[in-house]
Amino acid sequence: MNPKEEKVKIIAEEFTENEEDAAVGRRKKKVQRQQRKKQPPTAGPEEMVSENPHLGPQQEPGQEEPKTHLLSTTARRGPRSLPPIPSASRTGFAEFSMRERMREKLQAARSKAESALLQEIPTPRPRRLRSPSERESETEFGTEPGKEVRRTQQEDDSQNYSKVKFHDSARKIKSKPQVPPGFPSPEEAYNFFTFNFDPEPEEERSEEEKAGAKTRGGADQEAVSPGQQDEEELLDGREAEDLLLGLEHMADDFVAIRPAEYESVHRWLQKEKEMLFVPSRLTVPTYKKLPENVQPRFLEDEGLYIGARPEVARTTGNIMENRLLVQEPERGWFGDDGRILALPSPIKPFPSRPPVLPPGQSTAAELETLYKKAVKYVHRSQHMIGSGDPSGNFQVDIDISGLIFTHHPCFSREHVLAAKLAQLYDQYLARHQRNKAKFLTDKLHALRNAVQTGLNPEKPQQSLETTQKTIKEYKAEIWQTRRLRDAEQEKDRTLLKTIIKVWKEMKSLREFQRFTNTPLKLVLRKEKVDQKADEEAFEAEIQAEISELLEEHREEYEQKMEEYRAAHQQWKAWKRAQRARKKKKKHAAEEPPDEETEEAPPEEDPGKPVPPEPTDRAVLEQQVRERAAQSRRRPGEPTLVPELSLAGSVTPNDQCPRVEVLRREDVRRRSVYLKVLFNNKEVSRTVSRQLGADFRVHFGQIFNLQIFNWPESLTLQVYETVGHSSATLLAEVFLPIPETTVVTGRAPIEEVEFSSNQHVTLDHEGVGSGVPFSFEADGSNQLILMTSGKVSHSVAWAIGENGIPLIPPLSQQNIGFRSALKRADAISSIGTSGLADMKKLAKWATESKLDPNDPNNAPLMQLISVATSGESYVPDFFRLEQLQQEFNFVSDEELNRSKRFRLLQLRNQEVPEFRNYKQIPVYDREIMEKVFQDYEKRLRDRNVIETKDHIDTHRATVAKYLQQVRESVINRFLIAKHHFLLTDLVVEEEVPNISSEGSGILGLSLFKLAEQKRPLRPRRKGRKKVTAQSLSDGDVKLLVNIIRAYDIPVRTPTPSKFQQPSRTSRTFVEKHAASPSTHSPTHSADYPLGQVLVRPFVEVSFQRTICHTTTAEGPNPSWNEELELPFRAPNGDYSTASLQSVKDDVFINIFDEVLYDVLEDDRERGRGIHTRIERHWLGCVKIPFSTIYFQSRIDGTFKIDIPPVLLGYSKERSMMIERGFDSVRSLSEGSYITLFITMEPQLVPGESVREKMSVMLKKFDSQEDEKLLQAAEKFQAECALKFPNRQCLTTVTDISGKTVFITRYLRPLNPPEELLTVYPSNPQATAELVARYVSLIPFLPDTVSFAGICDLWSTSDQFLDLLAGDEEEHAVLLCNYFLSLGKKAWLVMGSAIPEGATAYVLTWEQNHYLIWNPCSGHFYGQFDTFCPLKSVGCLIGPDNVWFNIQQYDSPLRINFDVTKPKLWKSFFSRSLPYPGLSSVQPEELIYQCTDKAAAAELQDRIEKILKEKIMDWRPRHLTRWNRYCTSTLRHFLPLLERSQGEDVEDDHRAELLKQLGDYRFSGFPLHMAYSEVKPLIEAVYSTGVHNIDVPNVEFALAVYIHPYPKNVLSVWIYVASLIRSR
Amino acid sequence: MAAASPSVFLLMVNGQVESAQFPEYDDLYCKYCFVYGQDWAPTAGLEEGISQITCKSQDVRQALVWLPIDVTFKSTNPFGWPQMVLSVYGPDVFGNDVVRGYGAVHVPFSPGRYRKTIPMFVPESTSKLQKFTSWFMGRRPEYTDPKVVAQGEGREVTRVRSQGFVTVVFNVVTKDMRKLGYDTGPTDTQATWGTSPAQGLPH
């Protein structure tokens, strides 16, 4: 048979034993059933619980069978059968014959079927409609008893539940044997096979087999089988119907129909009662489980470890216990504690099997373990210790040994008393240990002795007084001590009394309630005393006291007597006086008696003093004795020593009343655990321990806390759980942090009290907490107790393996900790507070011979040992990279000392001098000291104003300031330089873009694939741009294409004076050149073929490399030559930033090549040519390299900078007029040269950096309105969309890096007064003068000063202070001046050649526009073809910005009328009106007059420097200076300045001729703005004056500096060479 | 005497670029060059090389390059230790030479024989369209300089895709490293050389 079945049967037996319960249960179930019928069918666990019971009664009719079945099984089981089963049934079984039984069975089946049919009628409808899910859940319910058990535990009304369960189980048992009606028992089966039978059972069998298979089949089937007996359920299933049909069939065929048999319920019950044993679910009292007279012994309480018992529902446990008690009475199943023996629960709290994976996933991936390194948690408030990083972990051991409740809500009254008693007893013990009374008594004796010896006159007396005094003191002491002793003794006595009283109360309570709850037992031990001795001692004591008191009293009395006597004397004197007065009065008249007179002046009468009474000894004695009786043990009375023991026995549960049992149950349900919190974080918790009956919980756990940080707090939280509810926090216990001396093993167990303020009221004997209760019957004398208790623990530092305590160093403690305070105290207590230096402290400690073993000094000593060992020290700084120190492989000093390291560091910092230093030597000795010299010099010079280059101090300061600004800006953007863009790294084709020009169009480039490799008509292709980083010296070349020049000055005929001496040396060229000039210019038409008036060539010098073209002829030469100049970046650094800061200029000088015949002898003319080539400088064009770099090519016609006076040359004005260029050139006379300059390969300008900067700069804060900025951005975006090439500016960056709206820069500003007074009536001349003034301010491009980082706009006053700026500053200043002069002026942002993007100034004169170049001071008409301004992007006025939206941007072709919105898009319009922005410019400019003396001095110095330079440049020749000429020139220069270099040529020439008639003179004045000396030198060098190597050449050099206000200096340098003509 | 206090140490590298594993491409050739810090200087040998065009054979399935390397460096400072930068090129479907991979590897520090397999990668186009056009026009994105693969700076702006592997064999010999205080491992030939005279000295 199925083993499962058997098991079920056993359970059934258990149940049936308890018949009573079953009966009760059944009754209840009926009620339930009725209720159930009314209820709608809702599924759910509760529902099922209530649902199951109703099955029971319905099965009852079929109960017959299980009975027989049971009988059979019990018989077979033999030894395991239960004794109480009635034997009658067994014997009955034996007598049954097979046939009878068969019949009976069939009958039963039939009757069951019938009853089922009958029952079907009252079956309520909802039942049938049970959903399959419900049934399924029911199945689960049946098959998973574990689950059920759990539910049971939660069930409060366990009783009711158990009944439910009973029936559930009962149903199961019954169901099994019944499955098909007439299911055979094993015996039947046996019979069936052994006997010959009718064929009918065979069919049954087939049925049975089917069902059997099903039962075995699985859980589903099991659910069905119980259903088979519930007819209403059967109707649901198909199989069920089959079965029913089969049954009917059976019934029809083989069974005679009989009326239903009915057996009354009572009979049934009776039978069940006889046969079934149902164990009780009630708790078995402990005494039953234990041998007679044995107290339960709780091993756990004795400190032994008991593992966690497996979790068993209490009812289940109870049932098991009950059953075991009956089944095996020898109690082998029970342990000493009265519980069933159990091994610790083997069930792990977590599943150990890997989770079931969905089939798709690979198991390996899921099971793969990831290693994660443990991360140290560092407390944020903890500073890391520099070098002495805590070498290991620190450990605190917290030993929590247990917990005692001094009050608990579950305390019974007796417990309250017991606690009180225990407390008192503790107090008693403590007092007893101290035994203060005894101590005081001894002291008293000693004092008395001392007094007595002191009084002893035999002793040699030093002085009577001192003895007297000491005795007096002693006596006072005695008195004091006695009082104390008495108080102590009284206290002792009262304590004892209270103990006894409480004990008595307790006893009475125990008697009253007739049970004992606590094992507390007080034994009063009487210590026998020697009656006599005791009495004597007592008496002696009393006597001593009396005598002392007497003495005291006597003294007091005497004192009083003394007082009395004094008072009495006084009184007497007074009386006498009275009497005398009276006598006088008596003489006058008869007097009343004395008394009356005495009373007459009562206020004066001091009253007759009453003499003090002497103390009565008897009274005193009486008093003393009384007191002694009160406070002291009576003589002869035995000393009572209370002894509290736990020997008492507690009344077992079953002898207690119900309320008490409830209380005990409640206590048992409670368990307590502690959480350990370290620095307010839970680190561990104890196991949850049941609350013992004595309200002690033993934990005995030691927690080893591995810590990193100094403990700030250690907290224990006491949690209590009641039953299975969640834990409640009872109280928090704060543990003190142990002293550093306290290490494990030495720490004493300490008790810390805690209390909770929770209010608990209980419905049993427990007194509750926070609730008033009373011991008295009438409820008076109420007490309110709060839950409180004590935790016994010990906290100590652990000891490491090598015996070192694992204590974090003291220095790690934060200030503010208690221990830290203590530490401070430790130092200050020795009187050395404020000692911060640990080394000093250590020194002091050794010097002062501090006892290191004194525990008081322990913290100090540890502090010192830690500090001096160097393990750690308190840094007085905050370290950002605290690990840096560990990575330092040498100390900083060594690093600084080492030249090599220094070099490496400097190179790493990209200090310009060392940026490209290669092969730093291995050894210091190999590094020359001079390597650093330059660098150090530079560093030094940063602070020293260099006066060598900047002769003028103001400029030196400015230069220094500029240098500093530059450095700071460069440093700020050094990081940005290391940011790379994709284009820096990856070469990638542009995004094919239809709109972009050139190769952009996709189709076009596709088309290109098909085009020929070498087309016949090649088209220009864009060159490949090269990023600067991969370049080296020699890779980059500067290509200068000199195409042609216009209007070169031509030689003028040498005057007669000159001609004569040069007659012999006249060259062919000169002849021709001279001839037209000798005639009037109109005659030049006579030489239409263009006689050689001048033979110009161009020399390009760049970085001291010089290239020149071939010599062309005539004033309009065409060279069309390409010159190639190598480019060297500074320090070989081809990075973008470095290239941007190249300050070199490209000088394009135009020279006239003059040939002189040096032939001495005419006779040799035929045989050889002896000519000397002289070159005369005509002019130059200067183009900064930065412009070329940023423009990448420069293409155009430039005005040649020709000196105002060019001796020997003149312009062919007339020719131009004749040739009809007049209209074009009238306004801009001068010479021009057409150039094309570029670089090979094309370098990528630092645009990327610029873009990055602009993005970065936008992040700088701005004081502008947010809306305005947004509008500006929008405006710019719109403009850029329409005309991406046109410059549009709305916001600029000021010198402090803030974004400023551009119009704020424009504001009328006063030009220097000096300039205005020159031409008061001529505004045009004034304007020119002003423009000249502006142009004299040196030009310094921002790209140079700020290395291409950004364009910073300085205000005009800043500009004038700095005396350096680029186009914008010049233009702004000029525009402001013009505005102040009352002109209409605008700032023009556009592009010009050669500057590129630049700023010009536009003014509206009466009927035309003028365009001013602010850097040169030149102005151009709008239609001037030679105007360098080539395109106009936008105009900026003081109150608006206009963007050019015309088709063209050339100033020639556009209309400057900004009022036309179709042509100019204005920023401020009707939609966005001008908000009236205040200007960033100052109100007015203040001009200081330049120091003329300083200027003169500067002038001299420059002259000197230049002379020296010229001599330097001529190393192989003697340089002679013609002083006479120099002085002449010096006089001439101021004239030039006055006339601004115009219209002086003729006069000058005449004068020179007059003075220097004998010399052939070639020279010119150079005019420059002064910034530094270096440009002046460069300019002089570029003229090549020094190149003349005629032996008898003389030189003249004059410098004139004209000072303008604000240190603006105009420098004139006249340099000339003179050749004495013979 | 020079050996007594050397002022530079020497690093000799020889070996070969052995093979290239680019499963998809054929007809590859390989360039190598060395990138080294400012304190380094080549003293002998070639610091750049370019291989022949190699075709994959049917059975080996990888292009065998066998391009010998032989270069000697001297230096005063291990900072900027030489790196070998490799770049592999090959024709695309249209016959344009395009880059097939960049890769870099440090020359091994300690003496010995090493076989290094260097993963190769190429920069990716910034957009799909560009990818298409670059493929179509045969102008794939390239590094401005192959040497950028040896530097860490600025790499964050690029996107790369891995391509294949190149195997390089290095034979490394160092001289005077230990004397200058650089201990690169137990196999330094200088170590054995340096200790041997000490053994002979009487104690």
Side-chain angles (χ1 to χ4, degrees), chain A residues 1389-1421:
Chain A
M1389 304 308 295
S1391 64
I1393 41 174
E1395 303 99 307
T1398 184
Y1400 274 55
V1401 177
L1402 178 78
T1403 55
W1404 168 248
E1405 305 298 332
Q1406 273 72 26
N1407 48 9
H1408 61 279
Y1409 289 98
L1410 285 182
I1411 296 163
W1412 298 78
N1413 182 346
C1415 299
S1416 65
H1418 296 300
F1419 61 94
Y1420 308 88

Side-chain angles (χ1 to χ4, degrees), chain A residues 900 907 920 922 978 985 987, chain B residues 7 38-39 76 142 144 153-154:
Chain A
R900 180 163 190 261
R907 185 175 70 179
I920 290 176
V922 184
H978 284 275
L985 290 176
V987 183
Chain B
S7 61
Q38 285 173 317
D39 296 322
T76 57
E142 288 177 23
T144 50
E153 216 174 33

Side-chain angles (χ1 to χ4, degrees), chain B residues 105-122:
Chain B
V105 67
H106 271 104
V107 172
F109 291 107
S110 42
R113 185 183 168 86
Y114 301 88
R115 182 188 295 271
K116 299 271 179 191
T117 302
I118 306 154
M120 307 295 272
F121 55 89
V122 285

Side-chain angles (χ1 to χ4, degrees), chain A residues 889 900-901 904 907 920-922, chain B residues 8-9 11 35-40 74-83 106-107 109 176-177 180-184:
Chain A
F889 61 100
R900 180 163 190 261
F901 289 142
L904 286 168
R907 185 175 70 179
I920 290 176
V922 184
Chain B
V8 289
F9 63 86
L11 171 75
V35 177
Y36 40 84
Q38 285 173 317
D39 296 322
W40 290 76
K74 70 171 179 183
S75 174
T76 57
N77 191 357
F79 180 73
W81 195 272
Q83 274 171 288
H106 271 104
V107 172
F109 291 107
D176 292 337
M177 284 277 283
L180 292 175
Y182 303 116
D183 190 355
T184 52

Side-chain angles (χ1 to χ4, degrees), chain A residues 1172 1174 1507 1510-1511 1514 1517-1526 1529 1556 1558-1563 1585-1597 1614-1621:
Chain A
R1172 191 177 65 238
E1174 274 184 25
K1507 278 181 176 172
I1510 287 176
M1511 287 194 277
R1514 295 167 52 83
H1517 302 281
L1518 194 68
T1519 309
R1520 270 187 288 255
W1521 297 98
N1522 189 324
R1523 279 191 208 159
Y1524 180 61
C1525 181
T1526 304
L1529 294 176
L1556 302 163
D1558 292 348
Y1559 289 90
R1560 191 149 50 81
F1561 184 91
S1562 124
V1585 172
H1586 58 279
N1587 285 341
I1588 291 177
D1589 49 1
V1590 182
N1592 56 349
V1593 72
E1594 288 177 29
F1595 289 94
L1597 188 130
Y1614 211 127
V1615 60
S1617 63
L1618 300 106
I1619 299 163
R1620 182 178 276 275
S1621 42

Side-chain angles (χ1 to χ4, degrees), chain A residues 461-665:
Chain A
Q461 292 170 357
Q462 314 98 312
S463 83
L464 201 75
E465 254 182 52
T466 44
T467 328
Q468 281 298 325
K469 207 177 163 192
T470 42
I471 284 167
K472 217 171 191 176
E473 274 172 12
Y474 279 149
K475 278 182 177 166
E477 191 96 333
I478 286 169
W479 181 74
Q480 190 74 23
T481 317
R482 203 178 56 228
R483 262 187 46 191
L484 279 174
R485 187 207 56 186
D486 287 353
E488 284 296 319
Q489 278 180 338
E490 198 169 342
K491 267 187 207 163
D492 280 350
R493 225 178 138 69
T494 35
L495 187 63
L496 198 62
K497 273 183 184 167
T498 332
I499 288 175
I500 294 163
K501 190 181 158 227
V502 169
W503 171 238
K504 274 180 183 157
E505 266 178 54
M506 204 160 139
K507 271 205 285 191
S508 67
L509 186 71
R510 278 179 183 170
E511 264 170 45
F512 171 73
Q513 64 189 12
R514 278 176 298 167
F515 61 85
T516 322
N517 257 345
T518 47
L520 227 57
K521 204 169 177 181
L522 190 79
V523 180
L524 285 171
R525 197 153 46 79
K526 285 184 186 169
E527 275 182 7
K528 280 275 180 175
V529 217
D530 182 5
Q531 177 112 14
K532 213 173 170 190
D534 199 39
E535 251 171 52
E536 271 168 20
F538 186 75
E539 203 53 44
E541 178 64 27
I542 284 179
Q543 287 309 322
E545 200 175 327
I546 287 168
S547 65
E548 272 162 28
L549 279 175
L550 269 178
E551 205 168 317
E552 272 166 40
H553 280 289
R554 203 178 303 131
E555 268 169 30
E556 207 178 324
Y557 172 75
E558 269 164 21
Q559 208 179 340
K560 277 184 182 164
M561 275 307 282
E562 203 67 36
E563 275 170 27
Y564 165 75
R565 266 181 224 125
H568 196 70
Q569 284 295 324
Q570 216 177 351
W571 180 74
K572 270 183 179 164
W574 178 77
K575 212 170 180 184
R576 236 176 278 132
Q578 283 286 328
R579 236 174 255 150
R581 228 184 295 156
K582 246 182 257 171
K583 272 174 189 166
K584 267 187 224 162
K585 279 183 185 172
K586 260 184 184 172
H587 289 295
E590 273 304 315
E591 282 299 302
D594 280 353
E595 286 83 56
E596 283 180 45
T597 42
E598 270 169 45
E599 282 170 24
E603 59 277 353
E604 280 177 37
D605 183 12
K608 191 182 174 184
V610 188
E613 283 176 44
T615 342
D616 184 8
R617 196 194 155 90
V619 174
L620 207 65
E621 195 177 337
Q622 183 70 23
Q623 277 176 3
V624 169
R625 275 183 196 283
E626 252 173 47
R627 209 164 342 131
Q630 246 178 43
S631 68
R632 250 176 272 173
R633 185 168 51 86
R634 260 176 284 278
E637 191 184 279
T639 357
L640 286 177
V641 179
E643 266 174 17
L644 200 63
S645 69
L646 296 174
S649 64
V650 179
T651 317
N653 271 8
D654 48 354
Q655 290 166 20
C656 295
R658 191 179 154 75
V659 273
E660 171 61 18
V661 172
L662 274 177
R663 190 194 68 80
R664 291 190 184 181
E665 293 285 323

Side-chain angles (χ1 to χ4, degrees), chain A residues 865-878:
Chain A
S865 70
V866 166
T868 48
S869 62
E871 271 172 38
S872 71
Y873 65 99
V874 186
D876 52 353
F877 49 84
F878 174 71

